[in-house]
Structure formats: structure tokens, C-alpha cells
Amino acid sequence: MDEARTKAFRSLKPPCVELSQLALRFKSKNATGKQVIKSAESLYNTLQDISRQSNALNEKLAEYVFFPLSHIFRDSKEIPTRAVEVALQCLDILISCAWRSKISPELGKQLLILLSFLAGGSSVEARTENVNEELGAAVFQCLRSLFTATSNAGLGEKGAIEPENIPVLGHAITVVLDGMNNGPSVSVRLAASNVLNSMAVGVSDQEALRGVFPGIVSSLTKVVRSGSGSTISFKLLQTSLQTLEKILNKVISDQATFGHVRNPQQSSTATSNKQNSIDSWVKATSSQVKLALANMVPLQYHERSEVRVALFQLCVSILQNCKKTLNQSTAMIAETLIVLCSQEDLENAFELREKARRIFLDDADLLELSKSSLHDWILALPRIMQSNDDAPKRKSIARISTAFQLITTKNINSDILNDAIAFNLRASVSSAIQASPTKKVNSISEGSLEVTKLLQSEQMVEFRPVILNEVSQKDSLIGLRTLALQLKVLPLSDKLQGEIIKTLRMTAGDDQLASFWLSLQLLTPETHANDTVEQYLHFPDGPEDSNNGLLDEVYSFSLDTLSRPAFENESNWRLQALALETVALQAHHQKQDFRPELVDALYPILERMGSSNAALQHHAMTCLNRVSASCAYPSPGALIIDNADYLVNAVALKLNTFDISPQAPQVLVMMVKLCGPGLIPYLDDLVESVFSILACYHGYPRLVESLFAVLHAIVEESTKSPLLAIGPASASIQRQPIYHPTNVSSVAIRLRKLNTPTTDSSPPSSPPSSSRDPTPSPQTHDESPSPPSPTVLLNTISLLTQHHLSTTSPALLLSLLSLLTHAFPTLSPYPDTLLPLLATLFPLLMARLHDDASPRICIAAAETLSAACRAGGDFLATRFHDEWDGLRILHRKREREMQAEQKVMGPRGGLKRRAWEAVRGLVGAVVEWVGVRGGSMEDGVFEILGGEGEEGEARAREVEMMDRVDPDEMALLEALNPDRQWLLRARAAARRRRRIRGGRGVQEATREVWMKAPKVQGWTLKDVCL
């Protein structure tokens, strides 16, 4: 060790001598400030290297090094500030590594005076303004090291400061407090607060601390009060709270004031007088401390967790160590501690909450104070819940919940408190509902309930919040749920729940909604509660069957609510949503025993699924999913299919009583699509009810649309019936044979067959009839088979459409045409049923085809007539022959509209192009299934499909330019008249050649275009000039 110190001395001697000489020469102006700074930095670097060696520095070396530093401190006003700052850094090393606890009172006094002077001037001179930030931070660092390394800053021995040194300590603390409040920067203020924190630990003389205690508390209060904004460093607030905690424990704690051990050298009278003096001082000081603490309580909601943790530790320290001396502040501190425990974002929240819980449980007085505060908070909760600001609501609910948890842990019972909780909690929920902003309900179309949506809804298992459903209100909702669940652990919880449930039928409006919501929260088992609540609190398990009677009463009220028509109480949809939650809760409680209850409960659920309110519809889907899971059904669809008889009866009852609400038809549509063809035979009476309503309310388009949606679903599912899938053995509807003209090839083939011997004894088949011959060959018609029951229902529904095909509602008209498109193919095997239907509907369908209201109507009518052609065959030949001229005119009109549309939208076009294609598709269906009679019809076909005529030539060129020739249409034309189609193709080839060569002159020069003749075996044909 001596060798290390000898080596340290040798290292320190050169820079110390140099600095001492330069400081003296600088005073006589024989050295520059840069030289002094450089020499001081050299000494500082040497001290740093030596301080890293253990015990290399001692007090003698410190005195040696301090000598050159004293020259700089003496002339600090003339020497550059940087040199003084480096000297202070050297002094800091000497205090912490060399002198440590061996500083004499005289040296300690000198150091305090020196550092106080450098930080803020002497006690008799005015304070030096504009103290350099770096210099101030260095001074306060030295002061911190001085208070940390020594006891009482070296101002006294044996734990007491000498009386003549107390003013020095007081001045030093004043300088520190001034730097903490008025420092030029945050770093200086934070350094000053660290000095004060070290002083609270290092100074043990209570008499001296009592003298400076009021000033310290006042300054700390000023710092904290200025910290209500966000401009002050949170570390400064944290250090200030920690300093106050330490100074309170040393000066005004119960142990410091009442725990003195009697000094044997003092008389009893002196001891008594001293204690009386202390008591008087504590009594006078405690009220001032209460005011200071009142200014620090708002930090309980500071944004930084570190500040709130420091305030938590201060509150715990006061309740544990200052219970008697600061009894005036106990209630305020206890409330603050409860508020801090209610904050989930607090650092180490669980450990701190457990610590606070033990403090309250070990002190009956604190529990009584908590109960009193809880009562006051509960009484104020309804008023707070009326505010539009969600932050006060969230804070109030959180502290009530935390206090309630503390009290219930100790099993404290109070009838007054229990009644206040039940009444005010209900009033608070009602106030929150009233104060919530009225959110516009998302409306959806009444026909939006589809089976696909129902099947996709199987993932909906969580109910959305009915009240406080804004994102900003989530914490308030969780808090209210927590309070409601905490009521269960009260000794009189059953009585409280019964009182709340009784108010369901005695209140209305928001009060009824609040009672209903609270009742549901009280009856919801913890295992079924929302996970967002379970993560905050854990409640003890209660008896499983204790709430059966209360749940049955709420369930009965829910069925009464749901039994009313859905649209009747649509404005207060939240009551219906809570009723759905109650149904799901009852099903969860009874499991498969709930299945008989589906007779009354299932239809109201499905009825709400057809609501125009999106939130109520989501609630209904979630309820259905939960009920199906609780009743052990594999899916909601299986539940509906298994209870289809109940639902059919419920819907029939609605329709028989002429209930025209839109939900009943929607429920029926969903049932039909889910159950499929198996349900159709049971719907005869229900369909008759639909017919009756249509007859009475045909002037209500939306009602008619919803009812025909039901009929459309029935028709669509009827086509899937196994009875209709089998059909009769042979179809009796005659199809027009395709025309095949006699040519040389066909004659050669026939002659070759005649010359070939055959064993077939059957007579040759008769030649095919020409499409120009309007008289079809006679055939023997078998008696039409008797149609099955689904077919009769289809025919009845299809005939009903004739009364509504003249409607002006596009949606209804599209639905009717789609219905007929599905019905015609299914009825085609039964001509006795189909043909009268076609004869009745054909004029109406042609009128819809010529409708100019919407291209969509034209498209749907063309598709329906095409289906009629495929089903009716040549039965419609005469009718289409009569309508042929009108069909040609319609095609030209649609073609001109399409061309005008293409100029705007491009070659692809839009709806008008689709309408033009639909008319062409109808012509193709007539050619393929009905037949062409007479030359005028054939000319029309080649004009429409082949492009003959002047307008047709122009369109054909455009079609060729776009390469959009339909091969199916060309095949139909070739089957109808191959020669004419051959000529049409030849002309098209000529047009392409002329277009390829380009130019008018070239076209004139090549006007004669030759078409090569086809090759036929045994025949030689000449080419044709076009």
C-alpha cells in the first residue's frame, strides 16, 4: 500500500507543482488561462488514473493536491470558468476517494463555505447571477459527495453538529434549495435535488434538521407544484418525493419524536421540557406538512410511472412511520394510496398492491377510513358518470373497485354501505347511459340475412358491448363490470341482486336498461365473464345454484321483451340485445335441458337476425351460436333444421294473422335454404297464407318483394328435390328438328348406303323436315305423367307471378324473372302443367323484354324467355313468329345503344352491351329449341346473328375488326342453312382481304374476289366469283 501511495505521489507531484506555479503566475499575469486549464486537466486525468487503484489516495495526498487547487478557488473570479470546473472535479475525487469519512470539522466547514460561495455567493453578499451551468453542476456534485462520504458533512463528531457550524449548514442548504428551484437548467436543478437527497441521508443531527425542515418542505412543495405541467423533468419530481420521504422519516416520524431514549446525564425535568418542545413543534409543523402533501397528491395521475411509484413509497412511509405525528394527513394519504393501487400501468403493480393490502389489513383504523372514503366515492359516482369526459369516470370507478376489494378481503359488513353500493351503482350506470354520445345506428338492408352469412357467423361467440361501446369508454365499461361482479362477494349479495332485478318491471327507459344490464352482470358466472375483466380481479367461487331463481325471473322478462315485434321497439334496441344475452346465459346454465325452451326462444332470435340494426343482428347471431353450442348442436344450421317444425308454426302464425313485419319472410327464407327440399312438402298452408297476403297488400312493393323472396327460395330449393331430379321416363315436349339441306354429298352417302347390304330389317328413317315447312310431322303423344306435389307448388307460384310482372319495382321484377327461370326447366317434363303456364306468361315476358326502364330487366327477361324456349320447344313457334318483327326492331335498337355506349366506355361496353348479347342469346335459343318458320324468320336470324343487310354488314365488319365472332352462333347458322352460311363466310373473307390490302383504289382494283369451291369425292365444282 505504501508503495502504491509513493508511486501516486510521484505521479501527482509534477502536475501539482506545475498548476501551483501557473496559478501564481496567472495572478501576476505571467501565464494565460489556457495554460492553467491545460495544467488542471492534466492533474484531473492523473487523479482519475490513481483513483481507480484501491486505497492509493489518502488524506495526506489529498491535502497535498488541494494546495494548488486552493489557488484556483481563491482567484475563481479571475481564472477561467473551465479551470474552476476542472478543479471542482479534482476536489470531488479527493472527497470521495481520499478524505472520505476522515474530514475534520474545520475542513468540512471550509469546504461547505467554499462550495456554497462558488454555487451562489456568500451569505452576506448578493447572489451571483448567471452561474455557469457546468460550474453549478460540478459544485453540486462536490456537495453531494461531501454529504455522502461523511456524517453531518464533517461539521461535527458523534452524530451532532457543533453549534457554531449550524449556520454554515443552513447557508449551504439554502444555496442548494435555490439551485433546485431556480437553477439555469434541468441538469443543475437535478444535481441540486440529488445534493438534498444525500443531505437527508448524511445529516443525522435532528436538531439541525428541524431548523431547516420548514424551508426544505417549502422548496420541495414548490418544485412539485411546478411539476403539474409537463415542462419539468420527471426525475426531479421523483428525487424530490424521495427526499421528502427521507426527511420526514428522520425529522417527524413517530420514532424520531416519541422514541427518544432518556439520557441518564439529563434530569427528568430537562427531558420532559425537551419532549414538550418537540411535541409543540410537531403539532405546529404537521398542519404545514399536510398542506405540502396536499400539493403532492395530484401527482397520483402523473404520466410517468416512476413519479407515481415514488409517491406510492412516500404514502406507505407516512402510513407506517408517521401515523401519529401526521394523523391529520392519514385519510388523504390512504385515499391517495388506494388511487395509486387502482392503476394497472404502475411499475410492479402487483407487488405494490400486495404491499398496500397488507398495510390496510393490519390496521383497523385504515380500513375504517377506507370504508368511509368508499362510501363518499359511491355517493359521488352518479354525478361523475353524467360527465361527458370519460377520464373522471374511469378514475372514479377504478378507485371504488380497489377500495371495495380491500374491504371485502377483510369481510367487513355494512348494511348502509351495501345499500349505497346497490342504489348508486344502478344510478351510475343509468347516468353513464344518458351521458354517452348518441351513436348513429348502422342500418343494413332488410334482405341482407343470408344463409352464407349465418354459416360464417359461427365465429361470433362474444357479445359486443351494449352500453359504453365507444373505444374511449372501454376502461369505464370494464370498471363497471368489475364493480358489478364484486357485489357477488357481499354477504347480502342475493338480497342486493333481488332488489335490482325487481326494478326491471318497475322502471322504464335508461333506468330499466341500467337495471337489466346490472342484473345480467350479477348473474353471469365468473367462468363465463369477459376475459378483459378476469385479467384484473379474481373472485371467490360461489354456490352454483344460488341464482337459479333470479336467473329464471330475468329470463322470463327477456322472453316478454323478445315476444314483442322487433320493429316495435327498434329505437331501444339495447333492451332487446340484453334480452338475447340473457337467453344465451340461460342456455349456458341449462345446457341440453334448454332444448324444450327453443319452442319459445328460437324464433325471436332468428327474427332479430333480420333486423335492420347491424348491432342487434350481430347480437342475435352471437346468441344463436352460443345457444347451439350450449345445447350440443354441431352448428347453428343443425339447430334450425332440428327445430324447423317450431319455426314453421311460428312463421305461419305470423302470416295467418297478417303480420306484415319483414322479419318473418326473412326467417322463412333462411329456413328453406338451410333445410333444403325436405321442408317444401310442409309449406303448402304457409304458401297459401303468402298468397292471401299478396292479394291483400299488392300495393306495398317492399312487402311484396320480401314475400316473393320466400317464394323464390321455395322454387329454387324445389328444383333440388329428388322427385324432380328423377323425372318421367321420356319428355313429351316436341323439339324442332335441326334443318339439314339435301346436297350432293348427302345424296352420294345415301346411294352408297343403298348399295351396301345390311342385316337391319328396320325401315329407313324418314327424311328430316325442312324448317321452311311449318307443319311438323305427326307424332304420337303419350299421356303426360302426373306431376309430383313439389311441381304443383311450383306451378302455382309461377302462375301467381302474372299479377306482378307489370310492377314498376326493378328489384321485384328481377326476382320474379329469376323465379321463372328456375321454374321452367323443372316443369318441362310435365307438358300439361308447363304449356298452359307458358301460354299465360309469354305476352307478359315479351312486354318485359321490350321494357326501356332498365337494361337489367331486358337481360333477365331474355334469360327467362330462353329458359322457356328450352322447356317449351316448338310450342312457342307460332308465338315467336308473330313477335319476330318486334324482336328484329329490338335488336337494332339495342345494337345502336351498345354502339353509343362503346364510344364512351370502350369496346367492352357495359350493361347495354350485355342487353344486346342477351337478345342475340334469345334468338339463338329460338333457333336451337323452337325452330324457324318461314323465310322472314330465317332472314331475321341471319341479319341478327350473321350480319346480313346494310346495318348488318356494318356490324359484321365491326365484329370482325374486334375478332368477336361467336362460334356457337355460327354453328347455329350453319345448321339452319349451310349454303347461306357458306356465302356469308365467303363475303366475310372478301372483306378481310380488302381490308388487308387497304386503300380505296386497291379495293376497286380487286373488286372481283374468287371463292374456292369445296372438294367432293366424285364431283368437280367450279370456283365462285364474289
Side-chain angles (χ1 to χ4, degrees):
M1 182 179 296
D2 293 338
E3 182 180 355
R5 289 174 180 174
T6 302
K7 186 177 179 180
F9 174 74
R10 291 174 181 174
S11 300
L12 289 171
K13 183 177 180 180
C16 288
V17 172
E18 181 185 8
L19 180 61
S20 179
Q21 293 175 353
L22 287 174
L24 294 174
R25 289 168 55 192
F26 178 82
K27 187 176 181 180
S28 60
K29 299 183 180 180
N30 292 325
T32 62
K34 291 184 179 180
Q35 291 176 330
V36 177
I37 294 173
K38 185 177 180 181
S39 178
E41 289 178 347
S42 176
L43 177 60
Y44 174 67
N45 293 332
T46 305
L47 278 174
Q48 272 193 321
D49 294 338
I50 297 174
S51 65
R52 295 188 182 98
Q53 305 173 15
S54 60
N55 298 322
L57 291 174
N58 59 6
E59 60 274 13
K60 292 183 179 180
L61 287 175
E63 292 175 1
Y64 179 78
V65 175
F66 183 72
F67 178 75
L69 297 178
S70 63
H71 298 311
I72 297 178
F73 295 142
R74 184 177 60 248
D75 300 327
S76 59
K77 292 183 178 181
E78 289 80 14
I79 290 180
T81 304
R82 174 58 184 167
V84 180
E85 180 186 349
V86 176
L88 287 171
Q89 293 174 351
C90 295
L91 180 60
D92 181 47
I93 295 177
L94 296 179
I95 294 173
S96 59
C97 299
W99 280 312
R100 292 189 288 271
S101 61
K102 297 180 180 180
I103 296 179
S104 63
E106 186 63 28
L107 179 59
K109 179 180 179 179
Q110 293 178 3
L111 291 177
L112 272 182
I113 294 174
L114 170 64
L115 295 174
S116 301
F117 174 78
L118 293 176
S122 66
S123 58
V124 296
E125 296 179 0
R127 181 181 182 275
T128 303
E129 299 294 337
N130 300 324
V131 177
N132 183 274
E133 292 184 16
E134 291 77 8
L135 180 61
V139 170
F140 289 130
Q141 179 60 38
C142 288
L143 282 172
R144 181 183 182 185
S145 299
L146 182 60
F147 283 114
T148 303
T150 63
S151 175
N152 293 324
L155 298 179
E157 299 177 352
K158 298 181 180 180
I161 298 177
E162 298 178 1
E164 61 273 13
N165 292 336
I166 290 181
V168 178
L169 176 64
H171 175 62
I173 292 177
T174 302
V175 172
V176 172
L177 295 177
D178 184 68
M180 187 173 62
N181 285 283
N182 305 314
S185 66
V186 175
S187 59
V188 174
R189 300 178 67 185
L190 184 59
S193 66
N194 290 329
V195 174
L196 196 63
N197 193 14
S198 300
M199 185 275 302
V201 176
V203 177
S204 58
D205 191 336
Q206 295 185 1
E207 291 292 340
L209 287 176
R210 290 192 186 99
V212 297
F213 180 78
I216 293 176
V217 173
S218 178
S219 297
L220 292 175
T221 304
K222 184 178 178 181
V223 171
V224 171
R225 189 161 45 195
S226 64
S228 57
S230 58
T231 58
I232 193 170
S233 171
F234 77 93
K235 291 185 178 179
L236 181 57
L237 294 175
Q238 181 184 15
T239 307
S240 299
L241 293 172
Q242 292 172 351
T243 302
L244 182 61
E245 176 192 352
K246 294 173 182 177
I247 200 72
L248 288 177
N249 286 335
K250 267 198 173 180
V251 178
I252 202 170
S253 64
D254 297 343
Q255 178 65 27
T257 54
F258 304 113
H260 290 288
V261 178
R262 181 179 175 182
N263 191 343
Q265 298 178 357
Q266 292 182 347
S267 63
S268 59
T269 303
T271 304
S272 177
N273 292 336
K274 184 177 180 180
Q275 185 63 47
N276 292 335
S277 176
I278 293 176
D279 294 344
S280 301
W281 180 86
V282 169
K283 184 176 181 181
T285 306
S286 60
S287 59
Q288 301 301 319
V289 173
K290 180 180 179 181
L291 295 176
L293 293 175
N295 287 286
M296 298 180 183
V297 165
L299 293 179
Q300 61 190 344
Y301 295 116
H302 196 273
E303 59 182 3
R304 295 302 298 250
S305 175
E306 294 88 342
V307 176
R308 286 179 276 132
V309 169
L311 181 61
F312 179 91
Q313 299 295 349
L314 174 62
C315 294
V316 169
S317 177
I318 292 174
L319 293 179
Q320 287 181 332
N321 304 324
C322 306
K323 182 180 178 182
K324 295 180 181 179
T325 54
L326 297 179
N327 56 357
Q328 300 178 14
S329 308
T330 304
M332 177 179 62
I333 296 300
E335 292 180 1
T336 305
L337 193 60
I338 293 175
V339 171
L340 291 171
C341 290
S342 66
Q343 299 171 359
E344 295 299 327
D345 60 337
L346 203 64
E347 187 178 357
N348 298 324
F350 180 77
E351 291 79 3
L352 297 180
R353 191 178 296 114
E354 284 297 312
K355 185 177 182 180
R357 187 180 65 85
R358 288 192 297 269
I359 293 175
F360 279 92
L361 294 182
D362 295 340
D363 195 327
D365 295 335
L366 286 179
L367 280 177
E368 288 297 326
L369 287 174
S370 302
K371 188 168 69 172
S372 176
S373 299
L374 176 61
H375 186 267
D376 295 338
W377 290 337
I378 290 173
L379 294 180
L381 184 60
R383 175 182 54 80
I384 296 175
M385 297 302 291
Q386 294 176 358
S387 171
N388 292 327
D389 189 4
D390 194 62
K393 302 177 187 177
R394 183 173 62 253
K395 295 174 182 177
S396 180
I397 294 173
R399 64 172 175 252
I400 290 175
S401 176
T402 304
F404 195 84
Q405 188 181 13
L406 289 174
I407 291 177
T408 53
T409 304
K410 194 65 174 178
N411 293 326
I412 295 179
N413 186 22
S414 174
D415 294 340
I416 298 177
L417 182 61
N418 295 343
D419 295 340
I421 290 174
F423 176 80
N424 288 279
L425 187 57
R426 183 174 65 247
S428 300
V429 175
S430 179
S431 299
I433 295 172
Q434 295 173 5
S436 298
T438 304
K439 187 177 180 180
K440 185 178 179 181
V441 177
N442 294 329
S443 298
I444 54 179
S445 61
E446 293 180 353
S448 64
L449 180 59
E450 301 175 357
V451 176
T452 55
K453 180 181 291 187
L454 175 65
L455 297 179
Q456 293 173 358
S457 71
E458 293 184 16
Q459 299 178 354
M460 300 180 183
V461 293
E462 290 294 335
F463 288 110
R464 294 174 180 172
V466 176
I467 64 172
L468 302 177
N469 50 6
E470 296 289 341
V471 176
S472 60
Q473 298 173 326
K474 180 180 179 181
D475 292 336
S476 297
L477 176 63
I478 292 175
L480 287 175
R481 284 179 173 173
T482 303
L483 286 179
L485 292 176
Q486 285 177 331
L487 284 175
K488 293 183 177 182
V489 302
L490 290 176
L492 300 177
S493 59
D494 293 341
K495 179 181 178 181
L496 293 177
Q497 295 171 19
E499 291 295 330
I500 293 176
I501 292 173
K502 284 182 181 178
T503 60
L504 284 177
R505 302 184 185 274
M506 297 187 297
T507 54
D510 293 335
D511 292 337
Q512 186 181 45
L513 183 62
S515 298
F516 201 175
W517 185 86
L518 271 178
S519 301
L520 196 59
Q521 301 303 316
L522 292 172
L523 296 173
T524 302
E526 287 76 11
T527 55
H528 197 61
N530 198 320
D531 292 339
T532 56
V533 177
E534 289 184 344
Q535 67 180 348
Y536 291 96
L537 294 174
H538 300 279
F539 303 103
D541 297 332
E544 295 183 357
D545 300 329
S546 59
N547 295 327
N548 288 353
L550 298 176
L551 179 58
D552 292 340
E553 187 174 348
V554 177
Y555 175 70
S556 175
F557 174 78
S558 301
L559 289 183
D560 293 343
T561 302
L562 295 175
S563 63
R564 303 168 193 153
F567 64 88
E568 180 181 306
N569 200 20
E570 190 76 14
S571 59
N572 194 6
W573 63 270
R574 294 177 292 186
L575 203 66
Q576 302 181 50
L578 292 178
L580 292 171
E581 292 187 25
T582 306
V583 173
L585 180 61
Q586 182 78 329
H588 173 77
H589 186 265
Q590 295 185 358
K591 302 300 181 184
Q592 296 190 33
D593 294 338
F594 187 74
R595 289 191 176 190
E597 296 291 334
L598 293 174
V599 178
D600 299 322
L602 183 56
Y603 178 78
I605 298 174
L606 299 180
E607 188 178 22
R608 269 66 187 179
M609 291 179 66
S611 172
S612 60
N613 187 329
L616 184 58
Q617 187 182 93
H618 182 277
H619 245 69
M621 290 182 177
T622 305
C623 178
L624 183 64
N625 290 332
R626 287 195 169 188
V627 169
S628 62
S630 298
C631 295
Y633 284 103
S635 65
L639 182 148
I640 294 175
I641 294 173
D642 193 47
N643 298 274
D645 50 348
Y646 302 151
L647 296 174
V648 170
N649 292 336
V651 174
L653 181 62
K654 293 278 185 180
L655 297 180
N656 290 336
T657 57
F658 286 82
D659 186 346
I660 59 175
S661 60
Q663 285 77 18
Q666 293 177 20
V667 172
L668 187 56
V669 169
M670 181 184 59
M671 290 167 47
V672 171
K673 289 185 177 182
L674 279 175
C675 299
L679 186 64
I680 304 301
Y682 304 99
L683 300 180
D684 293 340
D685 296 338
L686 194 145
V687 171
E688 291 181 3
S689 300
V690 172
F691 290 165
S692 301
I693 294 178
L694 288 173
C696 297
Y697 294 94
H698 55 80
Y700 297 85
R702 296 184 66 184
L703 175 63
V704 174
E705 289 176 18
S706 63
L707 293 177
F708 265 105
V710 175
L711 299 179
H712 186 282
I714 294 175
V715 170
E716 186 176 353
E717 295 300 325
S718 296
T719 59
K720 304 174 185 178
S721 174
L723 295 176
L724 300 182
I726 298 174
S730 62
S732 56
I733 298 293
Q734 181 174 347
R735 314 295 180 192
Q736 178 68 20
I738 300 298
Y739 170 75
H740 296 285
T742 303
N743 52 26
V744 177
S745 299
S746 62
V747 172
I749 293 173
R750 181 174 291 276
L751 291 175
R752 189 178 297 110
K753 287 183 178 181
L754 292 175
N755 295 329
T756 302
T758 177
T759 59
D760 188 3
S761 60
S762 60
S765 59
S766 60
S769 60
S770 172
S771 62
R772 294 182 176 88
D773 186 6
T775 306
S777 59
Q779 294 185 7
T780 303
H781 293 271
D782 297 333
E783 185 179 357
S784 176
S786 175
S789 175
T791 305
V792 177
L793 185 61
L794 280 181
N795 183 51
T796 305
I797 295 174
S798 301
L799 278 175
L800 180 64
T801 61
Q802 63 179 312
H803 305 295
H804 300 274
L805 281 173
S806 59
T807 181
T808 58
S809 172
L812 176 58
L813 194 54
L814 291 173
S815 177
L816 295 175
L817 294 174
S818 177
L819 184 152
L820 293 175
T821 303
H822 283 85
F824 288 155
T826 307
L827 296 175
S828 60
Y830 311 99
D832 292 346
T833 302
L834 175 66
L835 299 184
L837 177 64
L838 293 178
T840 303
L841 297 180
F842 184 81
L844 299 172
L845 295 176
M846 289 302 299
R848 296 287 87 182
L849 182 67
H850 292 275
D851 192 350
D852 294 333
S854 172
R856 296 182 185 275
I857 303 300
C858 177
I859 295 171
E863 292 175 352
T864 304
L865 285 169
S866 299
C869 293
R870 288 190 292 271
D874 61 357
F875 174 75
L876 299 175
T878 304
R879 291 171 173 78
F880 273 107
H881 184 271
D882 296 339
E883 296 285 344
W884 199 249
D885 292 337
L887 196 59
R888 295 172 69 178
I889 294 173
L890 175 64
H891 176 264
R892 294 169 187 165
K893 177 181 177 181
R894 294 299 181 189
E895 188 173 27
R896 288 192 294 270
E897 292 177 351
M898 176 199 67
Q899 292 171 353
E901 183 185 55
Q902 287 178 336
K903 293 179 181 179
V904 179
M905 303 181 62
R908 293 184 179 274
L911 280 176
K912 294 181 179 179
R913 176 176 175 82
R914 290 177 55 195
W916 172 73
E917 293 174 347
V919 174
R920 290 169 60 86
L922 174 60
V923 173
V926 172
V927 175
E928 183 176 2
W929 300 102
V930 178
V932 178
R933 294 186 178 183
S936 61
M937 286 189 69
E938 183 176 321
D939 293 342
V941 171
F942 275 88
E943 175 186 341
I944 296 173
L945 301 183
E948 289 188 352
E950 295 182 0
E951 295 184 0
E953 289 278 349
R955 184 195 61 76
R957 286 193 293 271
E958 292 180 1
V959 171
E960 290 170 6
M961 290 289 290
M962 294 184 293
D963 295 329
R964 291 181 177 174
V965 178
D966 191 343
D968 295 334
E969 294 178 353
M970 295 299 102
L972 288 175
L973 294 178
E974 187 172 2
L976 179 63
N977 193 333
D979 294 338
R980 195 168 182 174
Q981 171 63 6
W982 175 82
L983 182 61
L984 188 66
R985 291 169 56 193
R987 289 177 178 175
R991 284 196 300 270
R992 284 195 297 272
R993 293 193 183 105
R994 288 196 297 268
R995 186 173 69 250
I996 293 172
R997 295 182 180 182
R1000 184 174 180 179
V1002 178
Q1003 291 181 12
E1004 294 293 336
T1006 59
R1007 183 177 298 277
E1008 293 183 356
V1009 180
W1010 291 82
M1011 180 75 177
K1012 291 185 178 182
K1015 295 180 180 180
V1016 181
Q1017 185 178 2
W1019 298 87
T1020 302
L1021 302 179
K1022 294 183 178 182
D1023 296 340
V1024 178
C1025 180
L1026 301 178

